[in-house]
Amino acid sequence: MPKLGSAMKKRAARGSASGRPIMALLDLLGRRWALRIIWELRDDRALTSRALRTACDDASPTILQTRLSELREAGLVELIAGDGYRLTALGKDLAGNFLPLYRFAERWSKRAAG
């Protein structure tokens, strides 16, 4: 399984000539639907392309497949034959790092709404 660092070193991050891992990761995660795909796969379940597309508000199948390919290349998502897509151990680690941000967003939305 490829590691995020080695997969992301192959290309420079958009807007950055440094090739720093954080810039490459933020570039990948900033692409349309990338974060949503990781979020929808966070519960350690595999989703078929169709189920994932539905979970992602009927995202374009072309864009969804492009993002899945990029996330697979980065070692964050894997395709299990007959089962669908799921997060790799590295992807689960990344998704776990979203939880504090999720909790913050929940608190923030209550404050912003009131």
Side-chain angles (χ1 to χ4, degrees):
M1 170 172 66
K3 294 190 183 223
L4 177 62
S6 63
M8 297 312 297
K9 284 180 187 176
K10 293 178 185 174
R11 67 175 149 235
R14 290 182 294 192
S16 172
S18 71
R20 292 185 179 150
I22 187 67
M23 293 295 114
L25 178 62
L26 291 175
D27 172 56
L28 176 64
L29 297 178
R31 295 175 189 169
R32 193 166 34 163
W33 297 108
L35 284 171
R36 181 68 180 267
I37 291 167
I38 293 169
W39 187 253
E40 294 301 336
L41 295 174
R42 75 191 180 281
D43 292 329
D44 201 24
R45 60 184 173 146
L47 292 176
T48 63
S49 292
R50 184 171 295 228
L52 191 53
R53 184 170 178 242
T54 299
C56 290
D57 300 323
D58 290 321
S60 157
T62 303
I63 291 175
L64 196 64
Q65 287 305 313
T66 299
R67 291 303 165 262
L68 285 166
S69 293
E70 292 168 350
L71 293 169
R72 288 177 66 196
E73 180 183 328
L76 300 173
V77 171
E78 61 188 345
L79 177 59
I80 307 300
D83 208 14
Y85 292 93
R86 72 174 183 195
L87 294 177
T88 63
L90 192 60
K92 290 175 192 174
D93 187 27
L94 175 63
N97 283 291
F98 293 161
L99 293 178
L101 187 59
Y102 171 78
R103 288 190 289 272
F104 175 84
E106 290 295 311
R107 288 191 315 272
W108 173 79
S109 70
K110 289 175 185 164
R111 181 180 179 270

